[in-house]
């Protein structure tokens, strides 16, 4: 068998693909630019194909180069997981675990989760990143995160998932407006442009609109917020209403306000919470245990 490509050279290729600059890629790998360039050239010789088209001032990944990058990313990720598995001697709740979570869940779950893990599984080192669904799925694909907590339904791009539980939506409005509204709320009772939503980058907007059967776009205010706390402030100022998940209400997001939570329209006015992981992982037992812990922290547990 011919000599196999080294993990070091594969990591050089990934760094160059990520940074799109030889100097920055070399700095990220803590090597000289000539070392990184030589490593990639050696990789091309071993594989017998051109990965990068070069000239004096620029470079371009070839089609084969892009495919090799995808394969290299999987190899590096699986190798890192193998190392972690060996270091923990196969124990499920030990070692570092890189967890991603979306902003409409993180503030209302991760504190309790971190506290539980610290008390009951102190050898598990949670490293947490909060970001949008799109960015988190990309980081999972790149091997920069191990597992995600997302709101579903959502295209999870071929990954695996545990369904953890349901998080009901409530329609939240100032008590002066709520006194005039009957439950479950029919949206024709509300003034036009009176419902405030998050920016489209947040999947909660789509989930809430669909789950709560808000079909009349004239009821939606053109203003969009960056966080649930901003929505609460707008509603508390008496400007209208908004959808808030039960998880946030249980953690006190309405405390100190004059807001009332009403039942919105919709048979299943809720979002599902899922734990997402790569299908190639060897840490399924760890993720299953983590899923059980998180499910117990949700408003409605439906672990499967």
């Amino acid at each position: 068998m011919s000599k196999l490509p080294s993990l070091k050279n594969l990591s050089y290729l990934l760094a160059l693909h990520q940074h799109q600059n030889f100097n920055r890629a070399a700095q990220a790998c803590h090597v000289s630019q000539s070392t990184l360039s030589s490593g990639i050239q050696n990789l091309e010789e071993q594989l017998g194909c051109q990965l990068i088209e070069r000239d004096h001032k620029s470079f371009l990944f070839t089609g084969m180069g892009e495919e090799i990058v995808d394969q290299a990313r999987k190899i590096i990720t699986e190798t890192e997981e193998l190392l972690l598995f060996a270091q923990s001697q196969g124990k499920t709740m030990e070692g570092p675990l890189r967890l991603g979570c979306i902003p409409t869940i993180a503030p209302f779950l991760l504190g309790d989760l971190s506290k539980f893990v610290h008390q009951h599984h102190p050898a598990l080192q949670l490293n947490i990143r909060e970001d949008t669904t799109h960015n988190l799925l990309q980081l999972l694909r790149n091997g920069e995160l191990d597992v995600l907590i997302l709101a579903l339904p959502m295209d999870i791009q071929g990954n695996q998932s545990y369904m953890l539980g349901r998080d009901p939506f409530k329609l939240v409005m100032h008590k002066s407006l709520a006194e005039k509204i009957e439950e479950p709320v029919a949206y024709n009772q509300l003034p036009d442009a009176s419902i405030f939503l998050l920016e489209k980058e947040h999947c909660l907007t789509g989930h809430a609109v669909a789950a709560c059967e808000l079909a009349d776009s004239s009821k939606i205010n053109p203003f969009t917020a960056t966080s649930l706390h901003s929505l609460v402030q707008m509603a508390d100022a008496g400007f209208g209403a908004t959808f808030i998940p039960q998880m946030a209400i249980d953690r006190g997001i309405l405390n100190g306000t004059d807001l009332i939570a009403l039942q919105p329209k919709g048979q299943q006015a809720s979002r599902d919470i899922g734990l997402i992981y790569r299908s190639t992982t060897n840490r399924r037992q760890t993720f299953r245990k983590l899923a059980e812990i998180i499910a117990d922290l949700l408003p409605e547990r439906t672990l499967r």
Side-chain angles (χ1 to χ4, degrees):
M1 181 182 293
S2 60
K3 186 177 179 181
L4 297 175
S6 72
L7 294 177
K8 182 180 294 185
N9 288 345
L10 291 175
S11 67
Y12 291 165
L13 184 70
L14 293 182
L16 182 61
H17 190 268
Q18 176 183 353
H19 296 281
Q20 293 295 311
N21 179 278
F22 274 93
N23 185 46
R24 290 196 297 269
Q27 290 177 352
C29 295
H30 305 290
V31 298
S32 67
Q33 185 171 327
S34 61
T35 297
L36 182 133
S37 181
S38 296
I40 293 176
Q41 287 179 341
N42 181 257
L43 185 61
E44 289 179 314
E45 293 170 0
Q46 288 182 302
L47 296 176
C49 62
Q50 185 180 19
L51 304 177
I52 300 169
E53 295 179 10
R54 306 168 176 83
D55 61 23
H56 295 297
K57 295 183 179 181
S58 64
F59 67 90
L60 176 70
F61 276 79
T62 65
M64 179 59 71
E66 293 287 352
E67 293 187 22
I68 295 298
V69 164
D70 287 341
Q71 294 299 318
R73 187 177 288 120
K74 294 176 183 177
I75 292 169
I76 295 294
T77 298
E78 292 177 12
T79 302
E80 290 174 344
E81 288 192 346
L82 177 63
L83 180 61
L84 288 173
F85 183 78
Q87 289 174 340
S88 65
Q89 300 180 19
K91 297 177 181 178
T92 58
M93 301 299 282
E94 292 190 5
L97 190 150
R98 300 167 298 177
L99 170 68
C101 189
I102 57 175
T104 57
I105 294 177
F108 317 108
L109 174 66
L110 295 186
D112 290 341
L113 175 61
S114 297
K115 182 178 180 180
F116 185 94
V117 169
H118 179 72
Q119 291 177 344
H120 298 278
H121 304 285
L124 185 67
Q125 304 153 25
L126 282 183
N127 300 307
I128 297 171
R129 172 156 180 166
E130 182 180 322
D131 212 327
T132 63
T133 298
H134 173 80
N135 290 342
L136 292 177
L137 285 168
Q138 185 65 37
L139 291 168
L140 182 68
R141 176 179 177 273
N142 292 347
E144 298 176 61
L145 291 174
D146 302 312
V147 65
L148 311 177
I149 302 173
L150 300 181
L152 304 175
M154 178 63 60
D155 178 9
I156 59 174
Q157 301 177 6
N159 294 297
Q160 299 296 308
S161 67
Y162 289 115
M163 190 71 69
L164 305 177
R166 293 178 63 248
D167 187 19
F169 287 114
K170 292 294 188 288
L171 186 63
V172 171
M173 63 187 70
H174 195 275
K175 62 182 181 182
S176 61
L177 178 58
E179 292 171 353
K180 309 171 186 176
I181 303 296
E182 297 181 1
E183 291 186 85
V185 177
Y187 300 117
N188 59 12
Q189 300 178 72
L190 298 174
D192 288 350
S194 63
I195 296 180
F196 293 90
L197 301 173
L198 289 176
E199 294 176 334
K200 291 183 179 180
E201 287 78 4
H202 296 277
C203 58
L204 183 139
T205 291
H207 288 149
V209 168
C212 300
E213 300 178 5
L214 176 57
D216 187 355
S217 60
S218 69
K219 301 301 180 183
I220 300 175
N221 193 285
F223 168 84
T224 56
T226 59
S227 71
L228 289 176
H229 289 88
S230 296
L231 292 179
V232 167
Q233 291 176 6
M234 294 297 291
D236 194 37
F239 294 126
T242 189
F243 297 107
I244 299 293
Q246 187 66 50
M247 181 188 300
I249 296 174
D250 291 344
R251 299 314 191 276
I253 197 171
L254 303 186
N255 291 354
T257 71
D258 290 318
L259 296 175
I260 302 296
L262 303 179
Q263 181 63 38
K265 183 180 178 182
Q267 293 295 320
Q268 294 290 333
S270 66
R271 60 179 180 172
D272 293 319
I273 308 298
L275 191 73
I276 316 302
Y277 58 93
R278 289 182 297 274
S279 59
T280 56
T281 186
N282 59 11
R283 304 183 72 184
R284 291 175 184 267
Q285 290 182 322
T286 298
F287 299 155
R288 176 65 189 189
K289 180 63 177 177
L290 188 66
E292 293 171 355
I293 295 170
I294 297 171
D296 287 337
L297 299 174
L298 298 179
E300 298 181 19
R301 189 182 197 273
T302 58
L303 180 62
R304 60 183 188 275

